Amino acid sequence: MDWDKLRIFHAVADAGSLTHAGDKLNLSQSAVSRQIRGLEESLNATLFHRHARGLILTEQGELLFDATTAMNKRLDTASARIRDSEEEVFGDLRVTTTIGFGTLWLAPRLVKLYEQYPDLRVDLMLEERVLDLPMREADVAIRMKEPSQADLIRKRLMTVKMQVFATQAYLEANGTPETLEDLIHHRLICQNVNSAQVGAGSSLVQHLLTYEVRSLLTVNNYYGVLQGVLQDLGLGILPDYVSLDDPRLIRVLPEIESADVPVFLAYPEELRQSKRIAAFRDFVQEEIIAYRKMLRQKENPQGMQ
């Protein structure tokens, strides 16, 4: 088969439209259409059903799309290994993690990674959806639970707990709650229990909401919760690590916290030798070590003297 036609077919199948595929490939719609017709003639098969809403793969088209997807994956892997055969760490690295961890913990620390590897190009994909690493939707992931996908190298990095925080200005204006019954006098800022989040965080929110809360602000990610707390709007449920990076946050109701949330780093087995992956993995591990040291110092300042 003609490799160029297969490349164009894959783009059309992925986009569901001749026009969108043409835009991606920098080809005219008529040129894309000619290539698809030529491929269908060479295979003596119809690959797409044409509809007003776009193109839908036929059964034969689905078979071919599965094959071109696997081919693209293998080509991406080969390309990554070729790039990683160099001694220097450079090129694209696609990292996926949650919005909260990515914005509140990882992104502020990336300056140290770029200081070490200025030619690295990190594509940080922040979303709650778990991307498929074996299918190369991302190169490396940091998730709030152990990945279940096969053929992944995984390492447990740290444990996080959700706790309750406020600012000094808010506490001076509204008082410091001493018991859960005191929540009646405060505004609670938290993730909506129906939003995508770790189960431990959702369970803590549901527990607190069983008490009478005067006012409630819900946000669909922890970054939004943090901004609400920093604007002195109320008591916020946030991951414990935020307090180390922002001295404005004061923990309240110290006996209240979620169950442990494990944090895992994972990447495909086939990228075991990747220098970009190794550089990122080592950077994260070094930052975790520094984080744990800061945490011990905060919990036992006298012992660190």
Side-chain angles (χ1 to χ4, degrees), residues 31 72 91 103 136 155-156 226 250:
N72 274 341
T103 56
R136 299 303 306 279
K155 179 176 179 59
R156 184 164 178 159
L226 175 63
I250 299 172

mmCIF file of all heavy atoms in Angstrom, residues 31 72 91 103 136 155-156 226 250:
data_model
loop_
_atom_site.group_PDB
_atom_site.id
_atom_site.type_symbol
_atom_site.label_atom_id
_atom_site.label_comp_id
_atom_site.label_asym_id
_atom_site.label_seq_id
_atom_site.Cartn_x
_atom_site.Cartn_y
_atom_site.Cartn_z
ATOM 1 N N ALA A 31 -7.537 17.369 -2.979
ATOM 2 C CA ALA A 31 -6.351 16.504 -2.977
ATOM 3 C C ALA A 31 -6.518 15.356 -1.995
ATOM 4 O O ALA A 31 -6.162 14.208 -2.290
ATOM 5 C CB ALA A 31 -5.112 17.322 -2.635
ATOM 6 N N ASN A 72 1.229 4.123 13.669
ATOM 7 C CA ASN A 72 1.637 5.432 14.178
ATOM 8 C C ASN A 72 2.274 5.310 15.547
ATOM 9 O O ASN A 72 3.255 5.998 15.863
ATOM 10 C CB ASN A 72 0.424 6.372 14.252
ATOM 11 C CG ASN A 72 0.164 7.074 12.932
ATOM 12 O OD1 ASN A 72 1.047 7.140 12.089
ATOM 13 N ND2 ASN A 72 -1.032 7.588 12.762
ATOM 14 N N GLY A 91 13.919 17.860 23.150
ATOM 15 C CA GLY A 91 12.739 17.408 22.421
ATOM 16 C C GLY A 91 11.476 17.479 23.258
ATOM 17 O O GLY A 91 11.434 18.062 24.340
ATOM 18 N N THR A 103 -1.256 22.316 38.514
ATOM 19 C CA THR A 103 -1.171 23.770 38.705
ATOM 20 C C THR A 103 -0.574 24.141 40.054
ATOM 21 O O THR A 103 0.169 25.128 40.159
ATOM 22 C CB THR A 103 -2.562 24.428 38.587
ATOM 23 O OG1 THR A 103 -3.460 23.819 39.521
ATOM 24 C CG2 THR A 103 -3.115 24.293 37.184
ATOM 25 N N ARG A 136 0.122 5.969 23.696
ATOM 26 C CA ARG A 136 0.937 7.170 23.503
ATOM 27 C C ARG A 136 0.116 8.456 23.461
ATOM 28 O O ARG A 136 0.466 9.410 22.781
ATOM 29 C CB ARG A 136 1.807 7.045 22.253
ATOM 30 C CG ARG A 136 2.786 5.893 22.277
ATOM 31 C CD ARG A 136 3.739 5.949 23.476
ATOM 32 N NE ARG A 136 4.433 7.213 23.577
ATOM 33 C CZ ARG A 136 5.519 7.509 22.865
ATOM 34 N NH1 ARG A 136 6.023 6.600 22.048
ATOM 35 N NH2 ARG A 136 6.096 8.671 22.985
ATOM 36 N N LYS A 155 5.777 4.106 39.802
ATOM 37 C CA LYS A 155 6.500 4.357 41.045
ATOM 38 C C LYS A 155 5.645 5.227 41.946
ATOM 39 O O LYS A 155 5.147 6.269 41.523
ATOM 40 C CB LYS A 155 7.834 5.052 40.772
ATOM 41 C CG LYS A 155 8.618 5.352 42.044
ATOM 42 C CD LYS A 155 9.959 5.955 41.733
ATOM 43 C CE LYS A 155 10.723 6.279 43.025
ATOM 44 N NZ LYS A 155 10.939 5.086 43.872
ATOM 45 N N ARG A 156 5.483 4.796 43.184
ATOM 46 C CA ARG A 156 4.733 5.611 44.146
ATOM 47 C C ARG A 156 5.617 6.762 44.615
ATOM 48 O O ARG A 156 6.747 6.547 45.070
ATOM 49 C CB ARG A 156 4.285 4.759 45.325
ATOM 50 C CG ARG A 156 3.420 5.519 46.328
ATOM 51 C CD ARG A 156 2.694 4.577 47.255
ATOM 52 N NE ARG A 156 1.903 5.299 48.238
ATOM 53 C CZ ARG A 156 0.883 4.777 48.906
ATOM 54 N NH1 ARG A 156 0.527 3.517 48.668
ATOM 55 N NH2 ARG A 156 0.202 5.482 49.779
ATOM 56 N N LEU A 226 -8.364 27.119 45.798
ATOM 57 C CA LEU A 226 -7.270 27.905 46.371
ATOM 58 C C LEU A 226 -7.478 29.397 46.155
ATOM 59 O O LEU A 226 -7.278 30.203 47.074
ATOM 60 C CB LEU A 226 -5.934 27.466 45.760
ATOM 61 C CG LEU A 226 -4.710 28.289 46.178
ATOM 62 C CD1 LEU A 226 -4.469 28.169 47.684
ATOM 63 C CD2 LEU A 226 -3.471 27.849 45.396
ATOM 64 N N ILE A 250 -3.414 28.912 56.440
ATOM 65 C CA ILE A 250 -3.356 28.453 57.821
ATOM 66 C C ILE A 250 -4.310 27.269 57.967
ATOM 67 O O ILE A 250 -5.491 27.357 57.596
ATOM 68 C CB ILE A 250 -3.763 29.582 58.785
ATOM 69 C CG1 ILE A 250 -2.793 30.762 58.645
ATOM 70 C CG2 ILE A 250 -3.816 29.074 60.229
ATOM 71 C CD1 ILE A 250 -3.227 31.986 59.403
#
